[in-house]
Amino acid sequence: MADATPPFDDVLPEALRFRSPAPLVDIGANLTHDSFARDLEATITRARAAGVTTLILTGTDREHAEQAVRLARQHAGLYATAGVHPHDARQWSPSLAAAMRELHREPEVVAVGECGLDFNRNFSSPAEQERAFEAQLGLAAESGLPLFLHERDAGRRMREMLHAWRDDISRAVVHCFTADRETLYGYRDLDLHVGLTGWLCDERRGHHLRELVGEIPLDRLMVETDCPYLLPRNLPAKLKGRRHEPALLPWIVREIAHWRGLTEAELAQATTATARAFFGLDANHDAHHALEEGPRHG
């Protein structure tokens, strides 16, 4: 007998079906995560219905970067990054560097990363992390692609390493920024971009970000879900399974706009323009193209 149970999270509750007043770019979506395997097409459809017309799929290692590239080839409005996360830095090798260099030549790949430093968990040692990060800074300089950065509890060392390379790399965004004012201003001094997530919606640990939102230059601010992680804790309805997804990005934009004193439309328009310029997306590949063309295969 066929299983009558619907796919995981196949339909969002009515209270969570938000629609952005202007097209959005989710600069950090981990759609290669196993939790999306059963309803990936529906997830992308829900994102488009919510006005999230462009998704940058995060490649945190070779396997996931290659998966992200394949998905980007199949769907209009999807792009990929390719890098090695600091948690996996111990795996860095000449062969992995060569594989990343090849991925960076793919037209679907719009950034080097996710790469950086994470001294919070140290799944790879700090020395291993710095070695892999230094190598990926070199790949970014070589390719001309922007950097998609991860940093946790390593702000000072991250700034030191970026400062040494700043004249050689193009653009860089600190994704999922959660740090303090000193770190933010250090990144501002390096002319970096900042990505904000649903961390702002967390009453336990996101309060300090609400005070800092207005100190991020609007032309340096981008938005992201980092799904399936970081589901906003203040959603107006419960979500079975607690898996985050791109269709919920308008809720995060609403929160950021509130704390910044802007309308949702103003923030959506500004962050989308910034993201499209940052990642060098084709201006002709606009929201209508992403919505109307649907899946494309090749």
Side-chain angles (χ1 to χ4, degrees), residues 85-91 118-119 121-129:
H85 193 284
H87 289 346
D88 298 315
R90 63 187 179 280
Q91 299 175 4
D118 190 316
F119 294 168
R121 297 184 180 180
N122 286 322
F123 289 138
S124 293
S125 72
E128 290 169 328
Q129 292 183 46

Side-chain angles (χ1 to χ4, degrees), residues 30-100:
N30 296 284
L31 292 193
T32 62
H33 191 275
D34 290 345
S35 65
F36 291 110
R38 286 183 286 176
D39 66 341
L40 180 61
E41 297 290 336
T43 298
I44 295 170
T45 298
R46 287 194 295 272
R48 289 172 172 159
V52 185
T53 57
T54 305
L55 304 173
I56 312 295
L57 309 187
T58 310
T60 56
D61 56 29
R62 180 177 181 178
E63 177 186 1
H64 287 93
E66 290 175 345
Q67 290 177 18
V69 168
R70 288 195 293 272
L71 283 175
R73 288 173 179 162
Q74 295 168 3
H75 297 272
L78 270 60
Y79 301 89
T81 73
V84 174
H85 193 284
H87 289 346
D88 298 315
R90 63 187 179 280
Q91 299 175 4
W92 191 261
S93 67
S95 62
L96 185 52
M100 285 295 148

Side-chain angles (χ1 to χ4, degrees), residues 117-121 150-155 158 178 199 205:
L117 302 173
D118 190 316
F119 294 168
N120 179 265
R121 297 184 180 180
H150 172 104
E151 180 267 305
R152 192 169 184 192
D153 293 350
M158 172 80 90
T178 60
W199 194 284
R205 55 187 182 176

